[in-house]
Amino acid sequence: MKNRLLIILPFLILTVLFTTFTIWAYTPLGPMPEALAALTSDNEVEIADRGGWWEFSPVRGPAIAGLVLYPGGRVDWRSYAPIAKGIARHGFLVALVPMPFNLAVFSPQKGGEVIAAYPHIRKWAIGGHSLGGAMAANFVFQNPGLVDGLVLWAAYPAENQSLRNIAVEVISIYGSEDGLATVEVVETARNRLPEDTKWVQVLGGNHAQFGWYGDQPGDGTALLSREEQQSIILTETVRFLEQFASEGDEK
């Protein structure tokens, strides 16, 4: 009996640990009601479930370019529906990618599958919030030349993954009051990003207001509303996407 218990015990421990982790991972933050409301198509943006991702596409005319968007760690992907829809309104196809266990680290290469599904789109960017942004940077590092742009929202590449010499246009948007991806931590990554990276500090912005999922433990207190922060993020992201898309036309 004792020997049998010694054999079974490790499996019981692993089962408990996996069950605990699964419950934690699948009880993510968000989405807020505003996020759920944004999942409805309208006369400007059509929203469709493509199996492995949700597609936000402009109704009028073909998409200018595409953006693959990874959600933050343990955040319900639907929390980014409002900004995905806002970007699509400006003529871009946005693929918002749900992640296994709500953690992009479990599927960082998903962007390749998305891109392959739209051969008619010539210009692509990949990006994400927090862990999602870090995994988007990982995708660029692992697949140099596959995308033209990288959008980092309160995110930065891993210390061992320099994008300094990779031909990719980058924008890094971060909040001055972020208690998780702090200004100091984000700006420390400058030497791992291309010299011409565009840096945008959202004065008064925090971590959680990059999405619509409520407050987040450990975060700083925002000094502006979620709507105001979202407007800045949307404006800067669209401006960046429009610029790299137009440069592609010139080439």
Side-chain angles (χ1 to χ4, degrees):
M1 180 68 179
K2 184 177 180 180
N3 290 337
R4 180 178 297 178
L5 181 61
L6 289 174
I7 294 173
I8 295 174
L9 186 58
F11 293 99
L12 291 176
I13 293 173
L14 287 174
T15 299
V16 170
L17 289 174
F18 180 75
T19 301
T20 301
F21 170 77
T22 301
I23 293 172
W24 172 82
Y26 282 110
T27 52
L29 298 170
M32 296 171 71
E34 293 87 344
L36 295 176
L39 283 169
T40 302
S41 299
D42 56 30
N43 60 356
E44 293 183 288
V45 178
E46 182 177 352
I47 302 172
D49 181 359
R50 297 305 183 197
W53 60 89
W54 281 74
E55 176 190 290
F56 296 72
S57 57
V59 171
R60 299 171 184 170
I64 302 170
L67 171 65
V68 179
L69 190 59
Y70 290 173
R74 198 170 164 260
V75 176
D76 191 304
W77 64 270
R78 294 173 295 179
S79 302
Y80 302 94
I83 198 161
K85 193 173 187 178
I87 294 171
R89 282 198 183 99
H90 286 81
F92 297 93
L93 182 143
V94 181
L96 181 52
V97 185
M99 289 292 174
F101 298 101
N102 292 299
L103 297 167
V105 69
F106 286 107
S107 191
Q109 299 303 309
K110 187 69 174 181
E113 182 180 336
V114 174
I115 293 169
Y118 302 94
H120 59 287
I121 294 182
R122 298 186 303 106
K123 299 281 288 185
W124 280 98
I126 189 169
H129 175 220
S130 194
L131 178 63
M135 291 302 99
N138 172 274
F139 181 89
V140 173
F141 181 79
Q142 298 290 343
N143 304 276
L146 188 57
V147 297
D148 305 282
L150 173 63
V151 177
L152 299 174
W153 293 341
Y156 46 89
E159 292 185 5
N160 64 342
Q161 293 187 339
S162 175
L163 309 182
R164 192 75 170 177
N165 297 316
I166 293 179
V168 62
E169 297 187 45
V170 182
I171 185 170
S172 177
I173 307 176
Y174 55 107
S176 66
E177 309 307 309
D178 196 321
L180 301 172
T182 64
V183 171
E184 180 181 5
V185 171
V186 170
E187 293 189 346
T188 298
R190 283 182 181 269
N191 62 355
R192 299 196 297 278
L193 291 171
E195 290 186 14
D196 61 353
T197 294
K198 181 178 182 182
W199 298 85
V200 179
Q201 184 179 139
V202 181
L203 297 178
N206 69 358
H207 199 80
Q209 290 189 168
F210 275 86
W212 291 82
Y213 55 89
D215 298 328
Q216 190 162 1
D219 197 8
T221 301
L223 304 179
L224 72 172
S225 70
R226 192 178 303 271
E227 290 82 0
E228 290 171 322
Q229 183 168 338
Q230 285 277 309
S231 177
I232 294 169
I233 297 165
L234 175 62
T235 297
E236 295 293 344
T237 300
V238 168
R239 182 179 296 143
F240 170 79
L241 294 174
E242 288 176 341
Q243 181 177 350
F244 98 85
S246 64
E247 287 175 354
D249 291 338
E250 292 171 4
K251 294 177 183 177

